[in-house]
Amino acid sequence: MPKRVLLGVLLACGLTASALQPVLAQEPKTGGVINAVIQPEPPGLMLAMIQNGPTQMVSGNIFEGLLRYSPKLEPLPELAESWSVSEDAKTYTFKLRKGVTWHDGKPFTAADVVFSIEMLKQTHARARNNLVQVDKVEAPDDDTVVFTLKQPFGPFLGIFEVGSMPMVPKHLYEGTDWKTNPYNNAPVGTGPFMFKEWQKGSFIRLVKNPNYYEKGKPYIDEIYWQIIPDAAARSVAYETGKVDVLPGGSVENFDVPRLSKLKDTCVTGAGWEFFSPLAWLWLNNRQGPLADKRVRQAIMYAIDRDFAKDVIWNGLGKVATGPSASTIKYYTSDVPKYPYDPAKAKALLKEAGYKGEKIRMLPLAYGETWQRWGEAVKQNLMDVGMNIETIATDVAGGNQKIGDWDYDIAFTYLYQYGDPALGVGRNYVSSAIAKGQVFNNVEGYSNPEIDKLFADGAVATPDSKRKEIYEKAQKILVEDVPVAWMLELQFPTIMRCKVKNLITTGIGVNDGFKDAWLDK
Amino acid sequence: MLSFVAQRVVKGVIVLLAIIVLNFFLIRLAPGDPAVVMAGEAGASDQVFVKQLREKFGLDKPLPEQLFIYVKGVVTLDLGFSFRQQAPVAKLIMERLPATLLLTLTAFAISLMLGVLFGTFAARFAGTVLDTAITVFALIFYAMPIFWVALMGILLFSVTMDWLPSFGYDTVGANLTGFAHVVDVARHLVMPAMTLGLFFMATYTRMTRASMLEVKRLDFVKTARAKGLSNAVIQRRHVLRNALLPVVTLAGVHAGTLIGGAVITETVFAWPGIGRLMYDALLQRDYNLLLGVFVTCSVMVLIFNLITDLVYRLVDPRIEFAS
C-alpha cells in the first residue's frame, strides 16, 4: 500500500498517533500558550455578522451556541444543559445552564437567546434558513427558552452549534446599529477564551476566561492565532517550532506527509463530521452537451476519483458515492455506481452525439492542490474525447461566473451540516435556482419529484420516514447526475503531540479549545 | 523653484484625480464584487443576504453616484470605510504604513548603496575578474524571482541554520520592549529587506556600471586626466557624479513604487505591510480599501517624482527648473 494511502486510511480510521495515546487517562495540566495558524486573516470576529471559515475558527473560542455535537452528530450540552421535545415534535424546550456570564460580567439569560435569534434572522443567512420553520421563541423565565415550530422540522436539534447559531449579548447590541457596533471589533461572548488583542496582519490573541462556567476549564492560558499568508511559510513556521497547530487546510496537501513525519507531531482527520465537506463538479444542466444526462454520466465514468484521492489528496478522504457524505444522516451507498471506466464514458458520449464541442471548466482558486486536481480532471475528460478549456479566475471571479451560470464545469466543495435538510437539498431543489447567487442550485437541475422529496423529508416524522425519503432522493439524483460528485474531503489537523484534547467534538477546531491542554 | 513646485503640485492633483476615476472603473471591471465574495465565504448566499450586503457596501447605487461619493470623500481626506474589515480605510492603511516603510526603505537603502558601490567597482575595474564576478552576481539576483530567493533564504537561514525568524514583524507573545524589541524587529527584517534589496541592487549595479563606462569615454574626462587630476578624484567627482543621473531617475521611479511594490516579499515573510493589505483587498474585492491603497501609492509616486526632479538639480546644476 503506498505510504500516502496508508496515511489516509489511518486518518480515516482515527488511528493517529495522538488517538493512540491514553489521553483520557491523563489528568489535564493547566497553563501554557497555543500558537495556531489562521488563514486567511478573518475580516472580523463578530460571528453573528460574519460567517466565513477563519472567523468561525477563532470566534468559536469566544462565542458559544446552545449545543455542541459529538463526532456521531448527537447533540451535547453547551449553553443549554438539557432539552426536551413535545410529542407532536413542534415544541422544543431548552433549559439553560445557571451561572453563565458574559465576558463583561453580566449574566447570560434566556432573554439573550431570544434576542440572538431575532438578530441572526437578519444577519446570518444560514441561520435565517434554518429558522424558517420557527413560529415563535419565548423565554418563560431566565433559564428556559421555548421554540414553537410551524410544523415538525426533523433536523431542528442540529442547528444550534456556535457557527450556526452563536449567542449574542443583548445588553451590548439591543438598540444599536449592529453593523457599526464597537463590540464587533472587541467581541464579548460567553466562551472559554476572551478577545484580548488583534494586530492586523500579524496575530489575534485570546486569553483564558477566568470566570468560565465549567470549573477548571479552559486549561490553556492564551491562544495566539498567527496570520501567515503563504502556504509554504506556514509549513516552515510549523517546522521551525513557531506554531503548534495547523488546522485542516492550513498547508498544501503535498506538505502533509512530510510534516506528519516530523518529531513529536500528531495528525488527526477528526473534527469534520459536522461539516462533512463534499467536493463536486458543478455541471451546467441548462445548455450544450451537459444538458444531456448521458454526457453527465460519461463525466462520472471518465474521472479517476481514486487517483485524485490517492495522489492529489495523499490518500485523504473518500470517494463520494452521491449527494450525501457518508458521515451525515440518512446516507445510503445503495445507489447507482460510477467506477472509473473510460470505455463506458466514450460509449455514452457517442450515444449522446457529442462531437467535440468546447466545454469550459473553472478550477477552484484555492491553491496548488485544487489547481492540480483541475489538471487531472481535464486530462481524464480529454482522454475520453472531450474538448476541455480551462478558464483561470480568482475566487471572486469564479463565484461571479458560477452565479451567473457562465460556465460548463466548475469545481466546488460545500459543507453538509449533518442533515440533508440543512446542507444537501439546497443544491438540488428547483426553488433554489436563483441567478446571481452561488452555492444554491447553480447547475439548474429541476425535477418535481426531487423537489417534493426534499420538501417532505424536512418535515416528515418519524425518523424512519425521513430515512426512506432521503434514500429515495439519493438514488434518483445519482441516476440523474445533476453534478459530478468527487470526494468526501478530509483536512488533517497537524499539531505537536503535547497538545492534547484539541478536537473532542464533530465540530473540530471550530468548536474552540476549551478541552485542550498542554502536556509540558 | 517655488513656481516649479507649485506647477508640479497642480499637475499632480489632476493626475491623481484621473488615477482615481480610472481605478474606480478598472476595479469594477473585474468579475465579482465584495457581496459575492462575502456571501461565498459564508457558504450561504440567498438573495436577501446578497442584497443586504450590496446595500451595506453602497453597491446598489448607480456607478456615477458611487464615484461622486468616493471623490467627495477623497477631497475631504476621507478614504471611505472598509465594510469587510469593519474599519475606516485610512486607519487600516496607517496601521500598515510603518511596517511597509521600514521594510521598503531599508531595502531601498541597501540596494542603492550596494548597487552604486558595486557598479562603481565594476566600472573602475572593467574587464577584470572583479568586474565579471560583480556582473554575474548582479545578474543572478536580477534573474531570480523574488519569491524563490525568499523561500531559499527561509530554507537556509531559518530551517537549516536557525539563525533568523522565517515570518512576522516581531516575535509574537514575547512582549519585548526597548532595545530588545529593536533587535527582535531587526532580526525579522533582515531576510525580507535583503530579498527585496538584492533584486533592486542588481539593477543599480548594472545601471551604475554602464553609465560610468559611458561617461568615462567623454572628452571632459580626458581633459581632467590631462590636467593631471588623480584617478580617484576623476572617478568620484567627474565620472560618478555625471553617471548618477540615470541612477537617480531609476531610484526615483523605484522609490515611488515602494509602498505597494513589496507584495510578494510581504506575503512570503508574513510582513504586515500595505502590499499584503492591497493583495487581500484585491482578492476580496474590497473596493474602498483597494482604491485607498491605490490613492496612497499614487500620492507617493507623485511626491517621489517631484523629489527626483529636485535631486536632479543637486546632482547636475546645469539642469534648470523649466516650467
Side-chain angles (χ1 to χ4, degrees):
Chain A
M1 188 184 283
K3 276 181 187 167
R4 53 181 163 241
V5 178
L6 179 64
L7 174 71
V9 171
L10 283 174
L11 289 171
C13 299
L15 296 174
T16 61
S18 64
L20 289 169
Q21 290 170 7
V23 173
L24 292 174
Q26 292 179 36
E27 190 65 30
K29 294 172 184 166
T30 54
V33 177
I34 289 184
N35 284 283
V37 155
I38 189 73
Q39 171 57 27
E41 184 166 16
L45 295 177
M46 180 47 183
L47 200 44
M49 311 279 291
I50 303 163
Q51 291 93 41
N52 76 357
T55 300
Q56 287 191 39
M57 205 172 275
V58 176
S59 297
N61 291 285
I62 302 168
F63 293 98
E64 291 184 306
L66 294 184
L67 301 174
R68 312 165 86 187
Y69 300 99
S70 73
K72 288 183 177 172
L73 305 182
E74 297 143 336
L76 302 170
E78 178 118 285
L79 287 170
E81 62 181 4
S82 64
W83 52 94
S84 59
V85 189
S86 66
E87 266 187 33
D88 64 358
K90 284 164 68 175
T91 307
Y92 288 72
T93 306
F94 290 85
K95 282 284 175 195
L96 304 183
R97 270 183 212 266
K98 291 186 176 68
V100 177
T101 55
W102 295 99
H103 294 159
D104 62 1
K106 296 277 189 310
F108 164 77
T109 69
D112 289 309
V113 181
V114 176
F115 174 77
S116 300
I117 301 295
E118 289 312 311
M119 180 173 173
L120 292 167
K121 276 184 188 170
Q122 294 177 52
T123 61
H124 193 309
R126 199 152 49 79
R128 179 169 47 240
N129 292 331
N130 289 347
L131 290 164
V132 76
Q133 296 295 347
V134 174
D135 184 31
K136 57 183 176 183
V137 189
E138 293 163 303
D141 60 57
D142 275 357
D143 306 320
T144 311
V145 181
V146 181
F147 289 82
T148 309
L149 309 190
K150 295 171 194 159
Q151 54 186 329
F153 183 49
F156 191 67
L157 273 180
I159 65 171
F160 291 99
E161 64 79 42
V162 58
S164 307
M165 203 177 289
M167 291 299 113
V168 182
K170 181 182 175 185
H171 63 283
L172 299 179
Y173 277 84
E174 191 179 36
T176 68
D177 179 0
W178 300 338
K179 294 193 287 283
T180 54
N181 187 305
Y183 291 99
N184 292 347
N185 289 321
V188 171
T190 58
F193 292 91
M194 304 189 295
F195 173 79
K196 180 72 180 175
E197 185 184 6
W198 185 349
Q199 278 195 18
K200 292 276 169 88
S202 289
F203 66 87
I204 299 167
R205 181 182 170 205
L206 308 181
V207 296
K208 180 179 186 162
N209 174 4
N211 303 313
Y212 193 58
Y213 54 83
E214 283 192 58
K215 292 299 163 213
K217 290 185 184 177
Y219 304 109
I220 302 296
D221 289 335
E222 291 182 89
I223 307 170
Y224 281 97
W225 291 97
Q226 307 235 21
I227 299 149
I228 309 172
D230 183 64
R234 290 194 288 276
S235 296
V236 169
Y238 182 81
E239 219 168 334
T240 53
K242 299 293 185 291
V243 297
D244 312 305
V245 177
L246 294 169
S250 298
V251 293
E252 291 289 0
N253 271 346
F254 45 76
D255 268 343
V256 172
R258 187 173 63 82
L259 296 176
S260 303
K261 285 183 207 140
L262 292 178
K263 199 172 158 236
D264 294 329
T265 291
C266 289
V267 188
T268 178
W272 289 93
E273 296 82 0
F274 178 77
F275 301 103
S276 298
L278 187 71
W280 65 76
L281 304 178
W282 295 115
L283 305 176
N284 196 337
N285 289 210
R286 298 173 186 83
Q287 61 196 20
L290 271 63
D292 190 320
K293 182 169 93 177
R294 290 167 298 186
V295 175
R296 302 199 298 268
Q297 288 173 332
I299 288 173
M300 285 295 277
Y301 284 118
I303 296 173
D304 188 349
R305 295 178 293 162
D306 282 305
F307 169 83
K309 176 175 79 74
D310 295 340
V311 178
I312 295 166
W313 288 86
N314 293 299
L316 302 172
K318 194 172 169 185
V319 171
T321 57
S324 286
S326 58
T327 40
I328 74 163
K329 284 180 182 168
Y330 319 120
Y331 163 81
T332 179
S333 59
D334 182 20
V335 290
K337 300 286 189 294
Y338 294 94
Y340 176 51
D341 189 345
K344 195 156 185 176
K346 281 182 192 169
L348 276 165
L349 287 174
K350 194 174 174 191
E351 192 186 316
Y354 175 70
K355 296 202 171 52
E357 293 92 333
K358 192 165 75 183
I359 291 170
R360 298 160 301 161
M361 185 174 80
L362 292 172
L364 200 51
Y366 281 177
E368 190 64 26
T369 300
W370 290 89
Q371 196 178 324
R372 291 180 185 192
W373 201 2
E375 284 159 13
V377 165
K378 181 179 181 182
Q379 188 63 50
N380 280 158
L381 296 177
M382 287 174 73
D383 284 347
V384 297
M386 296 184 85
N387 177 8
I388 304 293
E389 182 195 17
T390 304
I391 311 279
T393 64
D394 63 359
V395 176
N399 281 347
Q400 180 83 55
K401 278 184 176 294
I402 292 170
D404 288 344
W405 309 337
D406 181 19
Y407 73 97
D408 295 313
I409 297 178
F411 277 76
T412 194
Y413 81 90
L414 287 183
Y415 292 161
Q416 301 214 311
Y417 304 112
D419 192 292
L422 302 179
V424 179
R426 60 180 171 158
N427 301 122
Y428 306 104
V429 296
S430 46
S431 59
I433 298 175
K435 200 167 189 173
Q437 323 294 318
V438 277
F439 303 146
N440 49 22
N441 182 347
V442 293
E443 76 272 20
Y445 174 74
S446 183
N447 180 345
E449 193 180 3
I450 283 292
D451 292 349
K452 185 169 184 333
L453 285 170
F454 275 102
D456 292 348
V459 298
T461 50
D463 223 33
S464 56
K465 181 75 181 159
R466 295 192 74 206
K467 185 171 185 289
E468 191 185 309
I469 290 171
Y470 286 124
E471 286 186 357
K472 188 173 177 193
Q474 286 173 71
K475 281 176 195 163
I476 295 170
L477 285 170
V478 176
E479 169 63 27
D480 282 356
V481 194
V483 305
W485 302 282
M486 298 280 109
L487 294 180
E488 294 178 23
L489 300 178
Q490 198 179 66
F491 301 111
T493 300
I494 300 171
M495 62 195 139
R496 310 261 171 240
C497 291
K498 67 176 181 182
V499 181
K500 308 290 185 191
N501 277 3
L502 183 74
I503 292 166
T504 53
T505 68
I507 305 159
V509 179
N510 282 12
D511 201 22
F513 290 7
K514 81 165 162 184
D515 299 313
W517 55 279
L518 287 172
D519 193 9
K520 290 169 280 181
Chain B
M1 179 178 156
L2 272 179
S3 77
F4 167 78
V5 173
Q7 278 185 24
R8 291 299 299 264
V9 169
V10 172
K11 278 182 191 165
V13 170
I14 296 167
V15 170
L16 191 62
L17 270 176
I19 289 170
I20 290 171
V21 174
L22 194 68
N23 280 330
F24 181 88
F25 289 107
L26 208 59
I27 291 169
R28 281 162 174 78
L29 277 181
D33 68 24
V36 170
V37 175
M38 286 191 79
E41 286 172 347
S45 67
D46 59 20
Q47 282 162 320
V48 184
F49 189 54
V50 174
K51 191 165 167 279
Q52 261 181 6
L53 288 175
R54 290 218 167 98
E55 281 168 9
K56 196 164 109 175
F57 298 150
L59 298 173
D60 55 333
K61 296 187 173 73
L63 265 186
E65 192 183 337
Q66 289 181 42
L67 176 64
F68 177 73
I69 292 169
Y70 188 76
V71 173
K72 204 172 88 178
V74 173
V75 170
T76 56
L77 298 179
D78 174 11
L79 293 177
F81 192 82
S82 163
F83 284 100
R84 187 182 170 85
Q85 307 241 12
Q86 299 272 310
V89 168
K91 181 175 174 278
L92 290 168
I93 292 175
M94 289 313 288
E95 274 174 0
R96 302 290 188 100
L97 200 57
T100 286
L101 285 178
L102 179 63
L103 169 62
T104 53
L105 288 178
T106 310
F108 186 61
I110 290 173
S111 59
L112 199 56
M113 284 190 298
L114 293 182
V116 172
L117 187 71
F118 286 144
T120 309
F121 271 114
R124 170 77 181 78
F125 300 102
T128 65
V129 178
L130 182 67
D131 175 33
T132 311
I134 290 174
T135 306
V136 169
F137 180 68
L139 273 176
I140 287 174
F141 280 105
Y142 186 66
M144 283 195 297
I146 286 182
F147 75 89
W148 193 81
V149 176
L151 289 175
M152 291 305 109
I154 290 173
L155 204 59
L156 185 63
F157 296 110
S158 294
V159 179
T160 310
M161 298 187 183
D162 197 18
W163 284 358
L164 295 167
S166 64
F167 72 96
Y169 178 81
D170 52 10
T171 306
V172 171
N175 297 321
L176 299 170
T177 51
F179 185 66
H181 186 244
V182 173
V183 172
D184 187 43
V185 172
R187 275 171 49 75
H188 283 80
L189 179 65
V190 173
M191 274 205 288
M194 287 304 287
T195 305
L196 195 60
L198 285 175
F199 176 79
F200 287 117
M201 181 207 73
T203 324
Y204 293 131
T205 303
R206 301 283 301 152
M207 180 67 84
T208 308
R209 179 184 181 275
S211 185
M212 281 186 76
L213 287 178
E214 202 177 303
V215 173
K216 265 168 108 173
R217 285 197 294 269
L218 296 180
D219 289 342
F220 73 88
V221 178
K222 279 185 201 143
T223 309
R225 222 178 281 283
K227 271 162 56 182
L229 291 178
S230 73
N231 199 30
V233 171
I234 293 170
Q235 291 289 341
R236 198 176 62 245
R237 272 205 217 145
H238 295 274
V239 180
L240 181 60
R241 189 161 185 182
N242 282 290
L244 273 184
L245 272 184
V247 179
V248 169
T249 311
L250 193 67
V253 173
H254 281 166
T257 58
L258 282 178
I259 296 294
V263 180
I264 295 170
T265 314
E266 288 184 3
T267 302
V268 176
F269 290 104
W271 191 262
I274 285 189
R276 256 177 68 198
L277 189 70
M278 178 168 69
Y279 179 70
D280 289 344
L282 179 66
L283 288 185
Q284 295 152 355
R285 304 290 191 271
D286 192 343
Y287 293 155
N288 280 355
L289 182 53
L290 198 54
L291 272 174
V293 176
F294 285 166
V295 169
T296 311
C297 292
S298 307
V299 171
M300 294 303 285
V301 170
L302 292 171
I303 290 173
F304 275 103
N305 276 355
L306 180 62
I307 293 173
T308 310
D309 286 344
L310 297 176
V311 172
Y312 270 166
R313 189 154 188 272
L314 291 176
V315 178
D316 187 348
R318 289 171 301 177
I319 297 173
E320 294 196 357
F321 293 118
S323 50

